[in-house]
Amino acid sequence: MENKNEESCETVTLILKAERFEVEKQKLTSKSLYFTALLSANYSECNQTEHIINYDISQISLQDFINWIHSDKIDTSTIYYGIEEFDRLLVLLELSVLFAVDNLIEDVIDRLERHYMSPKYVINIWLISQDLNINVLRDLSLAVCLDRFDELPISSIYELSRENFLKLLGNINIRSTESYLFHVTHEWMNHHCDFTIPMDILRNKEIKVLHSIISCESSDVINSEQFIHCWDGNDFFELTSFKYPKDITDRSIGKNILTGMQIIARGYNLYLCGGEFGIGSGRFNKNVWRYSLISKKWFLETVMPIERRHMVAVFLKNKLMLVGGVGRYRQKLQSIDIYDVHTGLWTSGKKMDSWEFTTVPEHYVFDGKLIIYKYQYIIHQYINTLSNDISDDHITMPRLIIWADIYFPDENVWETKMGFNMNYYHHNQSLPILTLKTLPCYIDINNPDEMILRTITETCNVERCDHVQTIKRLVFENENDSNRTYVLHTKCDAYLSILIFPTCMRVLVCMDSNTSIKINTLHLHNIPIRNPNKFRSLLFSHSPRKFFDLIHPAHLHTTNLNYI
């Protein structure tokens, strides 16, 4: 026993300049591939108890490294989340690569992702991650550089090499105005006396968006593996899978399953918001969790000001909006909480006074506005003058009332648009509204064994599509005509055209008001789902069913020029 204890407590002395640092040998060799090889029998140093560090590093950085070896925790003094800790973390990252310590690399990335992915630090993170060839950290920092380009320190942008400058300015995912990109490009060229930047890379920035949905194979929606499937306009494919945060799964047991939560996406991140652990239990999830599709990790993003379930959750640019829903004591909420993911601050929006809801209504984002689509059926009786049967004199006919509440974030106001009133012979409240460009698909779950993805497009390559239904766009002046087109204006900059077909399909076409495009034909595609078992959770009411937009991490590096 004494020999084993002596072996386990054997130390190695690392000598940096005049300073000596003692490290437990077993911990050092078990975590560092560099020292595992150096202290193995293959090297003459294997029996030595002292080793000189010949790298140009500071004593405090080596001590940070040794502290992590002993405790598995990053200890960078009592100063947190400031420039001093940031600099020490970058040096610690270099040491973790130098000494081949994979777990330390992951820990440093985790700390940087949680606390330092801001414009002040992110360019430096991006540059060093490229130098060290750490792809996950490179992609995380690049995503922030592109998302918050307008906030990046202008002096740091001007100091970029031509290669790195082109990687940013030529990327299709960069979020900035064309005028600002031109300004920055001209200033960079003047700073470097290099006028070879092609201006074409600043134009035609169109982010590739995937229409995505989350589902699983079990009725135990929370505790099962979740699958993300995406529709890119041509193919419906599985992107990745994940599991919900442990804090959620541990509390969602039996009858107390989390219900009414909402999951939406922004860029390469999923956001899980709200919900109640069992309807009426009063135990709410107030946390907003963020899942990174790049690092494959969950992070506690923030805490909601008010408990909610079955609320509308959308992103307007960089702001998460939580609208209405149900709160404590089953209170119907009209309030709006707005969270800025860039600043980490919550604010309140103007209350939606016109109505309340206990289930999530159809909604979508168009032209920077939130539009909540509502409809109501009323029974209308009219006299049938064509029938000779007295019993048929009075015919009961459902009429459809359609309207929408539109939120204008810049003015912080709501406007109600209504006036759609028509006879409706066939109605099915389970059918969602489809919108061109923003939400063009949904999953038909009427037959659980043969689920179908239904999509709508303006154009279609018929040869590649086995299930195409073409619907002509018909506009009639007569109110009794069954095919109608309605126009819903959103101020003067855009309009939404609602098309209602005899097949009960509701289609909403989003276009700019000054466009000259006329849609003469819409294609409804019925695409069989190959593995319906992975979508069985959609059959249960506590499972989110709505599609949302996200960006494929593989598209992060997409540029306008082939040679970038």
Side-chain angles (χ1 to χ4, degrees):
M1 289 295 294
E2 290 182 1
N3 291 336
K4 289 184 179 179
N5 289 333
E6 289 177 3
E7 183 179 352
S8 64
C9 295
E10 185 180 354
T11 62
V12 174
T13 302
L14 304 180
I15 302 174
L16 177 64
K17 300 174 183 178
E19 292 295 321
R20 301 169 67 86
F21 301 84
E22 285 195 354
V23 191
E24 291 185 33
K25 181 178 180 180
Q26 191 276 332
K27 288 187 176 181
L28 183 63
T29 55
S30 66
K31 297 175 181 179
S32 167
L33 296 178
Y34 173 92
F35 285 104
T36 298
L38 184 67
L39 301 177
S40 69
N42 297 327
Y43 288 84
S44 59
E45 294 92 339
C46 65
N47 294 320
Q48 296 181 10
T49 58
E50 296 183 351
H51 295 275
I52 298 176
I53 303 297
N54 291 317
Y55 298 104
D56 185 18
I57 58 177
S58 67
Q59 295 175 3
I60 192 172
S61 297
L62 183 59
Q63 187 63 62
D64 287 340
F65 174 78
I66 293 172
N67 289 343
W68 183 89
I69 291 294
H70 285 158
S71 66
D72 288 325
K73 294 181 180 179
I74 295 177
D75 181 11
T76 49
S77 82
T78 57
I79 302 175
Y80 295 105
Y81 320 140
I83 188 65
E84 180 181 338
E85 186 194 37
F86 176 70
D87 291 338
R88 287 169 67 175
L89 285 173
L90 293 190
V91 176
L92 191 58
L93 185 66
E94 292 178 322
L95 289 182
S96 64
V97 173
L98 175 65
F99 296 136
V101 189
D102 291 341
N103 289 341
L104 179 54
I105 293 175
E106 291 184 9
D107 284 357
V108 175
I109 292 175
D110 185 80
R111 180 71 69 91
L112 291 173
E113 184 176 7
R114 288 178 186 273
H115 306 295
Y116 290 97
M117 287 298 169
S118 65
K120 180 179 180 180
Y121 303 105
V122 72
I123 285 185
N124 288 337
I125 297 175
W126 180 50
L127 295 176
I128 194 173
S129 62
Q130 290 186 91
D131 292 339
L132 298 177
N133 198 28
I134 305 177
N135 293 340
V136 170
L137 187 60
R138 176 203 62 192
D139 291 352
L140 288 169
S141 53
L142 174 60
V144 176
C145 286
L146 297 171
D147 183 38
R148 306 184 68 177
F149 182 80
D150 290 356
E151 303 174 63
L152 298 179
I154 198 70
S155 58
S156 298
I157 296 177
Y158 294 159
E159 294 301 322
L160 290 174
S161 67
R162 182 179 187 275
E163 179 184 4
N164 285 325
F165 186 73
L166 287 174
K167 287 179 181 177
L168 291 182
L169 273 292
N171 197 295
I172 66 170
N173 301 293
I174 193 168
R175 295 178 185 267
S176 181
T177 62
E178 192 172 289
S179 61
Y180 184 71
L181 295 181
F182 272 102
H183 168 72
V184 170
T185 301
H186 283 295
E187 292 299 319
W188 183 94
M189 290 192 295
N190 290 331
H191 182 79
H192 289 266
C193 297
D194 180 349
F195 300 94
T196 63
I197 303 297
M199 292 300 176
D200 288 344
I201 68 173
L202 308 181
R203 301 183 177 91
N204 302 321
K205 304 287 188 182
E206 186 173 355
I207 299 175
K208 296 181 179 179
V209 174
L210 300 177
H211 308 290
S212 311
I213 192 168
I214 295 173
S215 61
C216 68
E217 297 179 340
S218 170
S219 59
D220 187 358
V221 175
I222 303 301
N223 293 285
S224 302
E225 182 180 12
Q226 306 295 313
F227 302 95
I228 302 179
H229 287 82
C230 303
W231 169 250
D232 64 3
N234 293 307
D235 299 310
F236 189 57
F237 60 93
E238 182 179 320
L239 176 65
T240 188
S241 64
F242 66 92
K243 290 189 175 181
Y244 286 124
K246 191 174 185 298
D247 177 76
I248 296 294
T249 57
D250 286 351
R251 299 171 63 189
S252 189
I253 302 174
K255 295 182 179 179
N256 295 322
I257 189 168
L258 185 63
T259 303
M261 68 172 180
Q262 301 302 306
I263 299 180
I264 55 174
R266 182 181 185 274
Y268 312 91
N269 295 287
L270 303 179
Y271 290 81
L272 187 159
C273 316
E276 185 177 8
F277 293 96
I279 298 296
S281 69
R283 298 190 307 113
F284 283 80
N285 166 47
K286 288 190 67 174
N287 295 330
V288 176
W289 293 91
R290 176 176 64 86
Y291 181 78
S292 169
L293 293 171
I294 296 175
S295 63
K296 308 292 186 182
K297 290 183 178 180
W298 282 102
F299 299 92
L300 178 56
E301 176 71 23
T302 184
V303 178
M304 297 162 52
I306 301 174
E307 301 93 334
R308 298 176 188 268
R309 61 172 168 84
H310 295 106
M311 65 284 188
V312 169
V314 296
F315 266 102
L316 297 182
K317 296 182 179 179
N318 57 298
K319 293 183 178 179
L320 169 64
M321 288 188 59
L322 304 179
V323 181
V326 181
R328 284 193 175 275
Y329 312 112
R330 306 197 183 205
Q331 179 185 5
K332 298 176 184 178
L333 303 176
Q334 294 179 324
S335 60
I336 300 176
D337 291 322
I338 303 174
Y339 175 71
D340 190 323
V341 296
H342 289 171
T343 65
L345 300 177
W346 285 96
T347 56
S348 298
K350 181 176 176 57
K351 287 186 177 182
M352 187 175 53
D353 296 328
S354 60
W355 69 311
E356 302 165 335
F357 50 84
T358 57
T359 59
V360 183
E362 288 294 328
H363 60 277
Y364 42 89
V365 172
F366 171 68
D367 196 32
K369 307 173 184 68
L370 167 61
I371 303 175
I372 301 179
Y373 163 86
K374 300 180 291 185
Y375 57 92
Q376 179 181 4
Y377 297 101
I378 62 173
I379 302 301
H380 175 71
Q381 287 190 340
Y382 69 95
I383 298 176
N384 183 2
T385 60
L386 300 179
S387 175
N388 294 323
D389 190 341
I390 299 178
S391 63
D392 289 340
D393 282 351
H394 292 79
I395 303 298
T396 299
M397 179 67 64
R399 293 182 66 83
L400 179 65
I401 309 296
I402 304 177
W403 72 97
D405 282 331
I406 306 173
Y407 179 74
F408 297 85
D410 294 338
E411 297 90 350
N412 188 29
V413 297
W414 287 92
E415 289 188 7
T416 299
K417 303 293 184 180
M418 57 188 307
F420 308 141
N421 187 340
M422 64 174 293
N423 294 335
Y424 205 54
Y425 291 86
H426 306 285
H427 58 276
N428 185 342
Q429 297 190 37
S430 66
L431 283 176
I433 187 170
L434 295 185
T435 66
L436 291 181
K437 302 185 186 305
T438 57
L439 291 171
C441 54
Y442 78 101
I443 294 180
D444 188 336
I445 59 175
N446 288 327
N447 185 345
D449 296 323
E450 297 181 4
M451 294 185 185
I452 296 174
L453 175 71
R454 298 192 186 277
T455 71
I456 181 170
T457 60
E458 300 176 45
T459 60
C460 172
N461 184 343
V462 178
E463 294 179 356
R464 295 182 55 190
C465 183
D466 296 330
H467 302 273
V468 175
Q469 179 183 0
T470 300
I471 296 183
K472 295 181 179 179
R473 180 182 180 185
L474 302 175
V475 183
F476 294 93
E477 297 295 333
N478 190 334
E479 180 181 341
N480 292 325
D481 288 322
S482 57
N483 289 0
R484 294 293 305 271
T485 297
Y486 296 105
V487 176
L488 171 64
H489 287 274
T490 60
K491 296 246 175 175
C492 60
D493 53 352
Y495 68 83
L496 312 173
S497 180
I498 296 182
L499 316 181
I500 303 179
F501 302 109
T503 56
C504 308
M505 183 63 66
R506 298 184 295 276
V507 178
L508 184 138
V509 182
C510 306
M511 292 185 292
D512 293 334
S513 59
N514 58 1
T515 185
S516 60
I517 298 176
K518 300 295 182 182
I519 301 177
N520 297 318
T521 304
L522 297 178
H523 300 270
L524 293 181
H525 300 228
N526 298 327
I527 303 173
I529 292 178
R530 298 175 184 175
N531 190 351
N533 286 334
K534 289 189 175 181
F535 298 87
R536 296 196 67 82
S537 61
L538 302 182
L539 302 174
F540 303 96
S541 60
H542 51 269
S543 171
R545 301 179 184 178
K546 194 173 183 64
F547 275 77
F548 52 84
D549 292 343
L550 60 75
I551 305 176
H552 197 316
H555 297 160
L556 174 62
H557 298 272
T558 306
T559 62
N560 280 349
L561 294 179
N562 294 329
Y563 59 83
I564 295 181

